[in-house]
């Protein structure tokens, strides 16, 4: 059932990486803002931290791109594993009362998907520059996964009634 990954060149991989990491960055920033609107500053700060991690990753990718021309790949042709960019968090998974534990679990899922994406490229391409790059990107995602796992180990598990709001907002998003 999995889509075949058909990454055929360094430029194509960079185009995918750039789109995927930029989307992840945007998503973390959106989530941080959403959490601020809902007076959940602790989780907002975590998403901002993740956004900083992703921004560094995007910058590194842009450095690698340099003045190379990247192929223009329409969004529907991206070789993602699912509908949304591999590294992005689905909006239906987000709850305004979520705890840092929830936020980190979502981020962990996103980073694991990104890792999985690059890992599949690593498995499918021939030795050479493309494989080297895919491997490097995969290792960076492995670091992100490890980083979030370490954070996750430090935050308490959510209480059973975490979703109960004593003062629910009038407007639901
Ligand atoms: Zn990442």
């Amino acid at each position: 059932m999995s889509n075949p990954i058909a990454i055929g060149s360094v430029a194509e991989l960079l185009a995918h990486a750039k789109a995927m990491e930029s989307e992840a960055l945007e998503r973390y920033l959106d989530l941080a803002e959403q959490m601020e609107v809902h007076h959940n500053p602790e989780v907002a700060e975590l998403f901002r931290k993740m956004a900083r991690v992703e921004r560094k990753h995007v910058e590194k990718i842009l450095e690698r791109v340099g003045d190379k021309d990247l192929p223009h790949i329409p969004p529907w042709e991206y070789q993602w594993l699912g509908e949304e960019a591999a590294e992005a968090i689905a909006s239906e998974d987000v709850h305004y009362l979520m705890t840092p534990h929830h936020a980190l679990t979502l981020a962990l899922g996103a980073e694991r998907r990104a890792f999985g994406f690059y890992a599949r490229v690593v498995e499918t391409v021939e030795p050479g520059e493309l494989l080297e790059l895919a491997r490097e990107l995969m290792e960076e995602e492995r670091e992100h996964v490890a980083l979030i796992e370490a954070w996750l180990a430090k935050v308490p598990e959510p209480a059973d009634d975490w979703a109960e709001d004593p003062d629910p907002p009038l407007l639901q998003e």
Side-chain angles (χ1 to χ4, degrees), residues 57 60 64 136-144:
H57 205 178
K60 253 175 128 176
R64 285 187 183 106
E136 223 177 285
L137 293 169
M138 180 183 79
E139 288 312 322
E140 284 164 13
E141 294 307 332
R142 196 199 299 281
E143 279 169 34
H144 293 176

Side-chain angles (χ1 to χ4, degrees), residues 84-148:
E84 292 198 57
E87 197 164 357
I89 291 170
S91 28
E92 64 267 22
D93 290 339
V94 176
H95 189 288
Y96 73 103
L97 287 177
M98 70 182 163
T99 64
H101 195 276
H102 291 108
L104 286 169
T105 303
L106 288 179
L108 183 60
E111 299 300 327
R112 278 189 180 146
R113 284 196 296 282
F115 172 80
F117 173 79
Y118 294 125
R120 285 178 52 192
V121 177
V122 165
E123 277 164 25
T124 49
V125 301
E126 301 288 315
E129 200 193 340
L130 177 55
L131 178 62
E132 295 305 307
L133 175 64
R135 213 174 253 154
E136 223 177 285
L137 293 169
M138 180 183 79
E139 288 312 322
E140 284 164 13
E141 294 307 332
R142 196 199 299 281
E143 279 169 34
H144 293 176
V145 168
L147 178 73
I148 296 174

